[in-house]
Amino acid sequence: MGTEGLPIPITVGGPGAGATDRTRERTTARSAFPFKMPLKREMWSSVAMDAAAVVLAALDVWLVIPDKAPSYSLYLSALACLSLVFRRWLPFVVVLGTVPGFLTGWSQLAAMIALGMLATRKQMHWKVWAGATLVWACRFIQWPLSDFAELSWREHAIDAIYAVLVAGMPIAIGLLIGARAELAQRLGELAASRDRERKLRDDAVRAEERARLAREMHDVVSHDITLIAMQAGALTAAPGSANALETAQTIRTLSTRTLEELRSLVGVLRSGAHDDGPQPGIGELDQLVQGSEVPVQLSVDRVPEQLPAKVSAAAYRTVQECLTNVRKHAPGAAATVVVVGKEETLTVEVSNDRPRRPATPLPSGGHGLTGLAERARLLGGSFETEPTEDGGFRVRASYPVDP
């Protein structure tokens, strides 16, 4: 804390965070039902295509039907056109339903549409070839049969060729559509497989990195802290002044507590669990303030009873880091800690006045406030730092309390 070593303000969230939160809420609301709009759009598209198929088939019949056509052929042709409504659910039955109208009437386009849907759904199934045979026969045979018998062999050959085209074109289009759909499915499966492989590779890399960090922390940091605790224990047993014994006891207590937290963290790293394990919270702020060796005025007001564990831990870590910075960068300065719950938001503000004596240079990577800012960002809150007019420093963090 203080003005030394911490000159750069860090802001996460801030005034624009409200708009960002509203945008996030709208995005969450839209993604709550991800299949509602696509299903509705697909349904209306299917209805439109079915209606278009019926209209085109009926128009084809109306354009070619003669003036003095038998009534039964007109009814069978109309039935063939209307049966196209069910072509998505009963494709083979619909093909059979179009055969009478095509054979005795003029529902050729209806039969071709039904056969195309059958080929799209069934691909190389025997029903496709059976339907193709029926459509071919309806195009080749003329009704009534007496007129068909009077045709010459040339006319029969021409009708057979045209019948192949009438039955073959819908099958070709249906097979092409089916092959395209299968290819799209295979590409989707391939993309999903690549994503799984990438995730597994990333998990393996993270596991290896966690194991390496756990080894380093255990072999280096844990060893040094253990030696500190042992030396402090030896000092408490040796004769000396009361202040020296109290200082040694404090060092031993702090090093033992740090060693326990370090071992817990090493266990989390080795297990690869997402949970951070048991964390101190707002309930331990009194104990933290008492052991901080900094004159602190603590105020906790309107804190919700059902406070999320991560928010409580974030508030504790914020106060802990700020008091540590006061002790390092502003020796002799007094600090004020205010924790307030307001409108589903927990606000933590830590401020200190100017230092009373020069600070002793200590190793510092400058990552403490950056880590607090990242923690606030991950929880959807905000984090701000600024120097005060009297030469001190102020940190303000806000966290949403809605789990």
Side-chain angles (χ1 to χ4, degrees):
M1 261 288 275
T3 58
E4 299 182 15
L6 301 173
I8 302 176
I10 301 176
T11 301
V12 176
T20 303
D21 295 340
R22 288 192 296 270
T23 303
R24 187 183 302 113
E25 291 175 1
R26 290 195 296 268
T27 304
T28 304
R30 287 196 300 267
S31 61
F33 301 97
F35 302 107
K36 184 177 180 180
M37 291 302 295
L39 284 178
K40 187 175 181 180
R41 189 182 301 112
E42 183 179 356
M43 180 188 68
W44 285 111
S45 177
S46 300
V47 171
M49 292 183 64
D50 291 340
V54 173
V55 170
L56 289 176
L59 182 62
D60 176 65
V61 173
W62 179 71
L63 291 176
V64 299
I65 191 171
D67 295 334
K68 297 181 180 181
S71 58
Y72 68 87
S73 63
L74 181 60
Y75 294 146
L76 291 177
S77 298
L79 179 62
C81 296
L82 293 177
S83 66
L84 294 178
V85 176
F86 306 98
R87 61 194 177 95
R88 299 179 183 274
W89 301 275
L90 303 170
F92 185 65
V93 175
V94 171
V95 171
L96 297 179
T98 60
V99 167
F102 188 13
L103 179 63
T104 64
W106 297 268
S107 59
Q108 173 177 307
L109 184 58
M112 295 177 66
I113 293 174
L115 181 60
M117 177 57 69
L118 178 62
T120 301
R121 294 295 178 86
K122 299 297 183 179
Q123 293 292 290
M124 303 299 292
H125 197 269
W126 65 268
K127 293 181 179 180
V128 176
W129 304 114
T133 302
L134 292 175
V135 173
W136 179 89
C138 291
R139 178 58 183 83
F140 176 70
I141 301 174
Q142 291 191 12
W143 189 266
L145 296 178
S146 57
D147 295 341
F148 175 71
E150 295 177 356
L151 298 177
S152 63
W153 67 272
R154 293 180 180 272
E155 293 173 326
H156 285 305
I158 294 175
D159 289 339
I161 294 174
Y162 277 102
V164 171
L165 295 177
V166 169
M169 185 170 60
I171 293 179
I173 296 176
L175 293 178
L176 180 62
I177 296 175
R180 182 178 178 276
E182 183 178 359
L183 179 60
Q185 181 181 0
R186 295 290 178 86
L187 291 176
E189 294 175 355
L190 182 61
S193 177
R194 285 200 303 267
D195 292 340
R196 287 193 298 269
E197 292 178 0
R198 186 183 302 110
K199 184 177 182 300
L200 291 175
R201 183 172 63 253
D202 294 343
D203 290 343
V205 172
R206 284 194 292 267
E208 183 179 356
E209 185 66 15
R210 284 195 301 265
R212 186 186 67 82
L213 290 175
R215 288 194 303 268
E216 295 295 331
M217 294 175 66
H218 180 271
D219 296 341
V220 179
V221 184
S222 177
H223 175 70
D224 293 341
I225 295 178
T226 302
L227 292 179
I228 294 174
M230 293 176 62
Q231 294 295 331
L235 288 176
T236 57
S241 63
N243 291 335
L245 292 178
E246 183 180 356
T247 302
Q249 184 63 36
T250 301
I251 294 174
R252 188 171 188 271
T253 301
L254 293 177
S255 59
T256 302
R257 184 190 308 166
T258 304
L259 186 61
E260 292 176 355
E261 294 186 358
L262 180 62
R263 287 174 176 171
S264 175
L265 181 59
V266 169
V268 172
L269 286 173
R270 287 196 174 277
S271 65
H274 295 286
D275 189 9
D276 294 335
Q279 293 281 342
I282 290 182
E284 287 80 12
L285 284 181
D286 291 334
Q287 183 179 358
L288 174 64
V289 168
Q290 293 175 4
S292 64
E293 299 183 3
V294 174
V296 180
Q297 182 180 356
L298 176 63
S299 174
V300 180
D301 187 23
R302 298 196 302 272
V303 176
E305 297 181 359
Q306 300 296 331
L307 192 64
K310 290 185 177 181
V311 173
S312 181
Y316 180 90
R317 295 303 184 190
T318 299
V319 176
Q320 183 185 45
E321 178 64 23
C322 292
L323 295 181
T324 301
N325 286 342
V326 171
R327 189 169 53 188
K328 288 171 57 177
H329 303 292
T336 302
V337 178
V338 179
V339 181
V340 180
K342 182 180 180 182
E343 296 180 357
E344 299 184 352
T345 301
L346 182 70
T347 303
V348 180
E349 182 175 318
V350 183
S351 60
N352 65 277
D353 53 15
R354 62 181 180 84
R356 299 291 189 268
R357 58 180 182 271
T360 302
L362 293 173
S364 176
H367 303 299
L369 294 182
T370 302
L372 294 180
E374 293 176 352
R375 188 189 293 267
R377 176 178 56 82
L378 292 175
L379 292 176
S382 62
F383 185 84
E384 302 174 2
T385 65
E386 59 181 359
T388 60
E389 296 179 356
D390 59 354
F393 206 76
R394 179 183 296 110
V395 172
R396 183 183 295 107
S398 297
Y399 306 98
V401 299
D402 185 5

